[in-house]
Structures are given as structure tokens and as C-alpha cells.
Amino acid sequence: EAGVTQSPTHLIKTRGQQATLRCSPISGHTSVYWYQQALGLGLQFLLWYDEGEERNRGNFPPRFSGRQFPNYSSELNVNALELEDSALYLCASSSWHGSPLHFGNGTRLTVT
Amino acid sequence: GIQVEQSPPDLILQEGANSTLRCNFSDSVNNLQWFHQNPWGQLINLFYIPSGTKQNGRLSATTVATERYSLLYISSSQTTDSGVYFCAVVRDNYGQNFVFGPGTRLSVLP
């Protein structure tokens, strides 16, 4: 069984640009979660999608947005990039909300 | 919202030593997981343990839900155990997001 896959592995952008990060959940999983982990820090909850709908979002500005597609894959968009957006972005999936989370390997975003 | 604390924040061990990591949470939870983040940033599932005790090789975990804490035991530690250990909880299945603790950074020295 394939795990959660994220692309790209690394992404370098300049301040003010937009970044798009992608996540494919484990087959059969309908819930997708996005977390931000700044260097040396813990995981901060960004967004939760389930059955194509945004179910919850963390304390992040509106320039962080995303969507979930009919095949349950998900996309995270970050507009008007700022230097402090540099972080590891982790995607996780679960078969239903509250069941065990499974994480991808992350996308490391660097904003210069 | 629910608060999650982990202790100790940092731990340095010699290879072969045993250790206990603790996770305290401020409210009742439906799900508790332990993860290991390796030096490359990968988060590995260790245990899904909202209550009771589980063992997997050299690792075991116990959650006492009524007292709102969980313990992760690592026996005969190896250098590959180095990294950050996180616990994560979710209060219910109806819209609360998973909350992660700040982590315990473990360094196992050869």
C-alpha cells in the first residue's frame, strides 16, 4: 500500500510569489490535514479537508488556502509569500477524523 | 482548546540506556498518537493509543486517559532512536483538529 505522497520535495520561491504544494492520501483515506513546521519548532495545524470540504483551519492568514479534489488529493496554496513562510509543510491523511494519522515526507519551502 | 505538554524537552542518553517520555493533556481525548520525527523530518507512527498499553519491540506506550497522561518507554536505546518524539491528541471526532505537543528531542550517543 502506497503511503501519503507529497510533491515537490523542495520548493524555492521569492517573497511575494505564490507556492502550490500537493498531497495524495493513502488509498481509501478521505481526510487530509496540512501542518506547518518552522525550523526547530513544533507542528502547527493549518487546514483539514474531508470529503472535498474544508472542515477546520488553524490560526493562519487567508493567504494560506487549499482544496481537496474528488479523488481526495489535496493542494495547499500560499499567496504573497513572506520570509517567515519558510518551513516544512507536512500533509497527513486518515480514514476518518479521529483515526490514526499517517504523514507524508513533507515539502520544504524556502522563501528568499 | 486542549493543551498538550511533553517532558522532558531534551534528553541525552548513552546507547543501551532506557528512557521514559511523558505527554500530559488538559482534557479528555478520543485519539492519542505517538510519532518519531527522524533527522530528515519524516514523521513515523509509533502508537495509536487513546487508552491502555501497547508494545512494539523495544518501544511501549501507556495511556491513562482518566488521569490525562501518556508515557512512551524506550528500552535499550539505539542511535537510530535519535530525533524528536511528538504526542498528538484530538478531543473528539466532530471538528476538533489534532493538537501536537512541543516534542521531546532525544539524542542517543554511541
Side-chain angles (χ1 to χ4, degrees):
Chain A
E1 175 184 87
V4 178
T5 57
Q6 292 188 244
S7 63
T9 305
H10 295 87
L11 190 57
I12 300 175
K13 294 284 187 179
T14 57
R15 196 169 54 181
Q17 286 188 318
Q18 179 196 37
T20 298
L21 290 64
R22 296 180 176 83
C23 172
S24 292
I26 290 172
S27 177
H29 286 191
T30 61
S31 278
V32 171
Y33 309 81
W34 288 95
Y35 284 84
Q36 182 197 64
Q37 187 178 29
L39 189 62
L41 298 180
L43 280 77
Q44 300 299 315
F45 170 71
L46 266 167
L47 290 159
W48 165 36
Y49 291 95
D50 184 64
E51 297 285 358
E53 300 286 331
E54 182 181 301
R55 302 297 184 183
N56 203 352
R57 67 177 292 130
N59 189 23
F60 282 84
R63 58 191 186 82
F64 286 84
S65 65
R67 54 181 170 166
Q68 187 177 34
F69 299 98
N71 66 353
Y72 304 115
S73 66
S74 178
E75 191 175 270
L76 174 68
N77 295 294
V78 188
N79 294 321
L81 284 165
E82 301 179 0
L83 297 178
E84 54 264 35
D85 296 334
S86 294
L88 179 66
Y89 289 84
L90 290 157
C91 172
S93 73
S94 68
S95 53
W96 44 271
H97 184 60
S99 65
L101 289 178
H102 299 265
F103 279 87
N105 290 337
T107 293
R108 194 167 297 278
L109 173 64
T110 302
V111 182
T112 62
Chain B
I2 193 167
Q3 305 296 315
V4 182
E5 299 174 345
Q6 290 186 246
S7 60
D10 295 280
L11 187 58
I12 301 175
L13 300 173
Q14 288 295 134
E15 202 167 24
N18 302 329
S19 61
T20 301
L21 283 58
R22 186 176 180 105
C23 172
N24 291 333
F25 41 96
S26 61
D27 208 336
S28 59
V29 297
N30 276 1
N31 179 350
L32 186 146
Q33 284 183 261
W34 283 98
F35 296 91
H36 173 217
Q37 187 170 39
N38 64 24
W40 297 271
Q42 295 173 316
L43 270 166
I44 310 299
N45 287 318
L46 295 177
F47 293 102
Y48 168 71
I49 187 166
S51 64
T53 297
K54 290 187 178 180
Q55 180 152 9
N56 184 4
R58 297 181 295 104
L59 274 60
S60 65
T62 295
T63 297
V64 184
T66 53
E67 297 188 20
R68 299 179 186 169
Y69 73 88
S70 183
L71 302 174
L72 177 68
Y73 305 96
I74 304 174
S75 64
S76 304
S77 57
Q78 301 175 358
T79 56
T80 52
D81 294 332
S82 296
V84 183
Y85 289 79
F86 291 102
C87 69
V89 302
V90 66
R91 184 175 172 183
D92 61 47
N93 298 339
Y94 303 107
Q96 301 292 320
N97 53 280
F98 287 86
V99 177
F100 279 74
T104 291
R105 184 173 298 276
L106 175 65
S107 300
V108 181
L109 306 178

